[in-house]
Every structure is written in C-alpha cells, then in structure tokens.
Amino acid sequence: MLSIQGLRVEYGARVLFNDLFFTVQPRERIAFAGHNGAGKSTLMKCVAGIIQPSAGKVTAPKGYRIGYLPQEGIHVKGISLWDETESAFAEAMEIKKKIDELGDLLEKLDPRSSPFSECLEEIGNLELQLEAFDPGRMKPRIQSVLLGLGFSEADFERDCGHFSGGWQMRIAMAKLFLQAPEVLLLDEPTNHLDIDSQAWVENYLINYPGAILLISHDRALLDTLCTRTIAFHKGRAEEYAGNYSYYEKESVLRKENLLRQYEAQRKEIAKTQEFIDRFRASANKATLVQSRIKQLAKVERIVIEAEDPVVNFRFPKPPPSGHSVAMLEKSSKRYGKHTVFDNFDFEITKGEKFAIVGPNGAGKSTFCRLITGQEEPTDGTYTLGMRVSISYFSQNHADELDPHKTVLETVEETATRDAAPHCRNLLGCFLFRGDDVFKKIGVLSGGERSRVALVRMLVQPANFLILDEPTNHLDMQSQDVLQRALVDYPGTVLIVSHNRTFLDPLVHKTLEFRPGAKPTLYPGNISYYLEKSAADRLLEEKNKAQVKAHKAPAPIVPTLSKLAVVTEPTAGGGNRKDQRKIEADLRNQRNKLLKPLQDELESVEEKIAEMEKAQVTLTEHLSTGEVAGDAQKFRETTHALEKITKSLELAFSRWGELTAQIETAEAKLPPL
C-alpha cells in the first residue's frame, strides 16, 4: 500500500497543496483533477521521488515499484526499438547472462569436483528465478504491447532516435507496461495516441493488475477507468469517491452546501454581533457580552472563494463563402513508392464539421496539407471554393512564433479590431493568466507555445477552420470554451483529433484514414464511427472465415444407387390416390438421405457460433493485464485458445463438406 502523509509543496509564497493525506490500495484507479498549474504533475513527481516535498513524506513497502510516465521530455537514441523495450526485463536478462556465463564455466570444471557441484546448484537456483519471469513469454509480450501501441513489425529494428516525440512517449509507455510496477503514474498518456492505440491502452489499463494514478484531459478515459478523484484548487486538494463526472456533479453540490453553511454562519455571527453592540454598555449584561465576544472569537469562519470567471468566446464573424468549400477529384497522393491514398473523391460543403481520424501515419496530416493548398495531389485535381478563407492550426505552427515577442503581442498582431479588446480574456481561457501574457515566447514550453498558436488562429477571421489536435495541451475548462465556440461557429470545420468527448457534440461526419486503403466516410460523430467501424470489421472477419470454409477439400457426395427414382405416371394409368402415395414415397426417400445431413449441418452451425464466441472471449482475456502478467494463466489461456482455434477450423471444414454434399444431393434428386 502506497501512503502519502502530510504532503506540502510550495514555491516561494505560492502553496500548491498542503497537509495532503491519502493512501493507494492495490488495483485502485485514481484521477488527479484541476486546471493546469494546480499541482497535479508536481504531486505525481513527488510520489515518483523525482522532487522532494516541502513537508510530509511518501511511504511504500520494501520492493514496491513505482513507474512514472511524464508528459514529455523523453528521448532515446542509439538503440533499436526492440532492444530498448526488451530492457524492461533487465533483471531477467541479467539472470540469463549469468546462467550462460556459469554454463561456460561448467564445461571447464571437473564433473567430480566440488566447484562443479556448486556451480551446477547455482545454475539451478538462477533458473528457478528466471522461470518466474516466464522467459518464453517475454518476446510475445513485447510484440503484443508494441503492436498495440501502434508500432509495426518493421519498426522493431529501427533506431529509437528516428522516432518523433509522440512515438518516444509510446516507447516509454511500452517499457512501463512490460515492467508492470505495483503503481503506474501516468501524466497525459493518451496525448499522442491515435484512436486505435487509445482503445488498446484503455483496455490494457482497465485490466492492469497494479494501481494507477492518472492525469488526463480525456473525460471519457477518466470516466471509464477511475473510481476515485483528487481535485486540486487554489492550494487545496479534495477527495471524491467516484470518477470525473461524479466529481463534477459532487463538487457543485459541495459548493452549494458550503454556501448554505456560510449564509447560516453569517446570520448567526450578525445576530451575535448585534447582541454585543446592543448590550456592550449595560453593566447587567457585561458577563453575557464578554461570553458572546469570546464565543465569536472562537468561530472558524467559512470562506467562500471567488470562482474562476467563465469566459465564453465567439469566433470573429466569418466572411461568406460559396457552397462548395473544397473538392478533391480522382486525387492520389504518393511519396516515391509510398501511396497515401489513390483515386479519392471528396467534397466539403459550407457549414459542415468533420472529424478526421485514423492511426498515425495513415495520411491525416497529408490530407490537411492538401486541403489547405500547401501540397498538390500527385494525380487528380484540388479545387478551393469561391471566397473561402482558411485558418489552419498545426502543432508545427508553435515553432514558427517569434521568440522575442510577448504572448499578448503575438496574439494581438493577428486579431481583428473587434477581437483585439478580448485577447487577454481569451488568453486567460487558455491558461495564460495575469502577468503570464507578458512572458516572451522563447521562455515558454512546447505545450504553452501550442496554446499561443491556437489562440492566435482563433482571433483571425476565416470561414474554414482546420485544426490538428487542438486539445492536446488544454485543460477541461479550456476545452469547454473551445468546444462551445466551435459549436456556435457558422463556418466550416475539419478537426484532426481523437478526443471523443470534445468531438461528439461538435461534428456530424467522420472521415477515417487507414494505411493502404481508400479513406472511408461515416455519416455521424466519433461514437457512431467507433460503433459502425467495429461492426464493419466484425462482418469482414466473418466473411473471411466463410470464404475460408468454402475453400475446403472437395466434398464426398453420398451415393444415390439405392435411391428409387420414381417417374411420372403414364397417361391413363393410376389415380390421385396413387399419385399421393408416389409423392409421399419420394419425400420419405429425400428425407432419409437429406435429413441426417441437414441435422448435422444445423448442429455444426450451432457449435461454430459457440466456439466463435468463446474464441473472442479468450482473445480479449489474453490481452488483459491480469493474464499477460501471470505466466501460468497466460499459458493456460494460450493453450485453450489454440485448442478452440483448431476445433473451429475443423468445424468450418466440416460445414463446407456438409453444404457441398447437400447441394450435390439435391441437384441429383428428382423434384417433388
């Protein structure tokens, strides 16, 4: 059990939090909430042992491992992706190396000597230690985690230095997951993940066997994963026994209750003060007055803190545009031999709001550069609509800001006359408050520069907005401000993002990019897209299984030598009764041959359905942290999955045989 006891952190006169107590039980999931700068990351660093608190301590049992993933700042180079992630098993690799060294030594020793026996015994002890790591499963576990985080097998031998900052964070995350510490400290783990990797990470964390402390601005992840929330606000930290949505509702109720207590206390104090003022000069009431004065001095006054101002921002009124905003016709984009997409038709019309999703490297940013006209299609045509003015936000724009200008100057130089007076309020919405607006761009962090670039774009008049991951460095309040402004914005919007909560009320179409495939348009928001795309993939897998079944070996056709073929009665021979008897005999003969085949086919289909369901359950179970981290459970689950997969293949093969037998028999049987 991890214990935080009386923790206090202060920077000069500013107290981030004081006298903080809480414990972390095994398998607990705790969210840290509060605006940026409230102390969430600082507390996480205290728990990780990176910084020392001003007072208090963090205690944990001996051997208790704490793994920490920061927001940014990790960069590894000079080692392959595989070797770097394999280093998560450094202890196991060291044991294996020692076993190999002792094995070499053993060959040089006399089998009859004492050193030989001692060496052999030490090897046995080390092999027992190594067995606890289940070395046979290390390679599959590394593969599973790397592929789940979006790496391809071709990446395994690449130097880590070739990967960008977002992918560097994935490498660090992979190592943490493989190390499986008792507590995971995750600071914005999904910032650089695409939607598939987000889903994988969410599922992995749900089943993780240890405890998790999480900082995230992904409301959906916090609600799904966490069961406790610690909220930081103006030097205080409060606990809430629920997820983020529970915290939001409960915090409102607590404030309302505190306000009622404040009003009741204020009235009681006023009443007491009135008594003191009225009878202060009365000798008969002197004792009572002194008693009331002492009573009033002991009252712990309830303080109602001023709420952070809620600022609603509206985009500058966009100039009108034509109905067709942008169009790609029979367009292709290639870089050398690499094809991003081919023969793609796409049109966005006035007022439409699209989400652009897909794994990293699938072509989302390339598509945005085509739409903005920064790049030309390799084939086909691109047409920008009449009177369309584009405002484009990308993460790269943060690096293009003048480092010698202040935050306020940088924003004001692009603002319209109407928007200029509101620049400071808008910067406050995006976490630049007070004197922060006078900081030079050159001293800001990467996330802060990204927020300045976003605000700079928002104050420009445009009728077509293209936003590439706009919420990565925004807290919940800033996300809400931007979301409300975009909902009310009358122009056209393309947003590259995987933030479900942010996008769902905003977009009504989703364009998905997949490597090697033509982009797919879904007529709905992100929730609709996730549901529909999952159903489409399930159907595709089912169709592939059926195609595989139809490619079974040639069927064995039952012999018809014993089947009596009844010809039609001759004209003038037999009556209606005889005809019915002939038809009944024919039906009996058909049933005698076909019924067993049809019954067996129905039985096989039921078994296939049961086994497919069991296969899906086992596959999901195999990827859970509980199974992946337990060697015995992993072996048992893998064995069960292999067994049911073989049984399923045999069942599909038999299904194909039976289907072909029935079709062949029916073709040779005379009609009724």
Side-chain angles (χ1 to χ4, degrees), residues 318-325 349-351 385-389 463-464 491-492:
S321 71
H323 177 71
S324 179
V325 174
T349 59
K350 182 179 179 180
M386 296 289 292
R387 299 185 300 279
V388 174
S389 56
N463 50 34
F464 185 18
T492 308

Side-chain angles (χ1 to χ4, degrees), residues 12 26 68 94 124 134 157 201 209 283 319 345 426 447 487 491 519 553 566 606:
Y68 171 55
E94 187 63 31
D134 193 9
E157 298 307 318
V201 166
D345 293 319
L426 183 57
V487 167
V566 181
E606 290 176 356

Side-chain angles (χ1 to χ4, degrees), residues 549-561:
H550 280 297
K551 291 181 179 178
I556 302 170
V557 181
T559 177
L560 301 177
S561 58

Side-chain angles (χ1 to χ4, degrees), residues 1 12 14 38-39 77 154 179 216 264 279 294 316 347 353 360 446 454 524 538 551 560 609 627 638 654 665:
M1 181 179 71
R14 186 186 177 201
K77 61 181 178 179
Q179 289 166 348
S216 178
F279 297 107
K294 291 178 181 178
E347 181 180 21
K353 292 174 181 175
N360 291 346
L454 177 60
L538 189 62
K551 291 181 179 178
L560 301 177
V627 174
T638 303
R654 182 55 183 159

Side-chain angles (χ1 to χ4, degrees), residues 462-483:
N463 50 34
F464 185 18
L465 303 180
I466 300 176
L467 309 174
D468 190 355
E469 297 290 359
T471 64
N472 266 6
H473 300 285
L474 302 183
D475 65 4
M476 297 293 192
Q477 182 182 354
S478 303
Q479 286 185 30
D480 290 343
V481 170
L482 180 58
Q483 184 188 66

Side-chain angles (χ1 to χ4, degrees), residues 187-206:
D187 195 346
E188 296 288 358
T190 61
N191 257 5
H192 303 283
L193 300 182
D194 56 58
I195 205 157
D196 289 340
S197 300
Q198 278 189 12
W200 185 89
V201 166
E202 183 177 298
N203 184 62
Y204 189 92
L205 294 179
I206 288 171

Side-chain angles (χ1 to χ4, degrees), residues 327-346:
M327 181 185 295
L328 290 170
E329 295 180 279
K330 300 187 183 305
S331 60
S332 302
K333 187 62 182 178
R334 290 184 290 275
Y335 296 101
K337 295 182 179 180
H338 175 62
T339 300
V340 180
F341 51 78
D342 187 46
N343 196 28
F344 177 46
D345 293 319
F346 175 78

